[in-house]
Amino acid sequence: MTHYDDRETRSAAARDDALRAALPRLVAHAKARAPAYAMMLADVDADAVTDRAALAHLPVTRKSALIEAQAAAPPLGGFTTLPLADLPRVFASPGPIHEPQPEGRDPWRFARALHATGLRRGQLLHNCFAYHFTPAGMMLEEGARALGCPVFPAGPGNTESQARAAAHLRPTCYAGTPDFLKSILEAGDALGLDLSSLTLGHVTGGAYLPALRAFYAARGMTVLQSYGTADLGLVAYESEAREGLIVDEDVLLEIVRPGTGDPMPEGEVGEVLVTTFNETYPLIRFATGDLSAVLPGASPCGRSNMRIKGWMGRADQAAKVRGMFVRPEQVAAVMRDHPGLGRARLVIGLAETRDTMVLRVESPVRDASLVESLARSLAGHTRLRGVIDLVEPGALQNDGKVIDDTRPT
């Protein structure tokens, strides 16, 4: 079977119909069962949230808000629909922030991504993600078990022992960070072990660089990547086409202007927001802090859902200037004061010992009054004075960077 299920290849119309039915139910469920969302969405009519445009009017849920809510209302801040006693597991990530394991089979939905990698029933998964504190190990294990696959819970580290175990157990697929698989294979080579059973790899949690791809390809391995978080589970995954990452069928992904909830046009680099249709932990417009962009069209593999380019950096580009923090949302506020302009980038530098700010703005006109207005707006939103530099439309790179701190570290 090429695809995990029929949902992967459904038409855009069928996907839109499913969304129209699922979104109002999700919002109503979150309001009724999760105390944090009962407050955040108190004035929202759930029945009116039927498409992406309506969803874009809802507030963004940021990781910082989860941390604050969990500190004020431990342990989970009111974002789950079940009490702690009814949850299978709870995990902890840096922040600190705590994540619940949702109920049900394959609660983080990694079976779809592992299936796209080529893993099939009965094949052994050598799982090198951690099983303690963070949920990564369980995420991949639950996905493999949903496919009917046994799992060796190897965890990270102990490279030589990993190689010896793989030589004995003969796993088909590795799961772990992109570079650790290379370390295991090289350790096996040095020890004279036969690791030829490892023909597949599913990697995430780090940069999957071209040199690593070439290394695995030279050994005849299929090693594909996915993108997910401890809060959301699987967000998007790579298929055999190797043309971007395909968004999971059980999340809705938006690309927005960093620091805001404003959707950006297809192809523009912005922050990834994800809404997950999870009844236990229904995160709505959750800001990942990661940058990406939508790829046009559908994947050649036949899967029809939205594709993204993958991880393209971090959106949380705050910088301290003259003792005060400047954030992307402040730059976005300046631009909202001046509709009709293009991209903007705040360049922070150093003149001798003094911090400097230059706001570069794409503008079709060169107007002294516009410069003055932008300068006033910048000072009003940041409480700092800066220089305005109007540039030609298209002059700023489409990389999602809103604040460029050029000061020496």
Side-chain angles (χ1 to χ4, degrees), residues 308-339:
I308 58 173
K309 291 183 178 180
W311 188 83
M312 300 177 69
R314 293 292 294 170
D316 44 358
Q317 304 159 26
K320 185 173 280 189
V321 180
R322 303 170 208 159
M324 299 183 65
F325 276 106
V326 179
R327 304 180 185 279
E329 50 263 42
Q330 293 170 309
V331 178
V334 173
M335 300 310 293
R336 278 197 294 270
D337 291 343
H338 300 82

Side-chain angles (χ1 to χ4, degrees), residues 198-273:
L198 278 169
T199 59
L200 303 174
H202 187 85
V203 299
T204 187
Y208 190 19
L209 302 173
L212 277 176
R213 285 188 181 271
F215 176 85
Y216 299 135
R219 296 183 73 111
M221 299 181 67
T222 297
V223 180
L224 304 181
Q225 65 178 321
S226 65
Y227 164 52
T229 75
D231 318 271
L232 298 162
L234 179 68
V235 174
Y237 61 96
E238 191 174 22
S239 75
E240 66 271 19
R242 295 178 174 84
E243 292 191 13
L245 302 182
I246 302 159
V247 174
D248 178 48
E249 295 297 328
D250 289 295
V251 303
L252 187 154
L253 186 145
E254 303 171 84
I255 301 293
V256 303
R257 193 173 303 281
T260 77
D262 304 333
M264 299 187 70
E266 185 177 283
E268 289 289 308
V269 177
E271 184 176 12
V272 176
L273 296 192

Side-chain angles (χ1 to χ4, degrees), residues 62-77:
R62 297 200 172 274
K63 190 177 287 283
S64 58
L66 292 184
I67 295 171
E68 293 170 2
Q70 290 183 1
L76 296 170

Side-chain angles (χ1 to χ4, degrees), residues 113-174:
L114 289 169
H115 187 274
T117 298
L119 188 64
R120 297 295 184 267
R121 176 177 294 276
Q123 296 176 331
L124 178 64
L125 178 72
H126 188 110
N127 188 8
C128 291
F129 282 112
Y131 276 80
H132 66 285
F133 268 77
T134 63
M138 290 304 302
M139 285 178 167
L140 274 296
E141 172 155 330
E142 292 281 347
R145 297 297 299 133
L147 291 176
C149 297
V151 178
F152 173 53
N158 305 304
T159 308
E160 184 176 313
S161 296
Q162 298 272 9
R164 293 189 185 281
H168 179 77
L169 294 171
R170 310 294 292 167
T172 301
C173 184
Y174 159 93

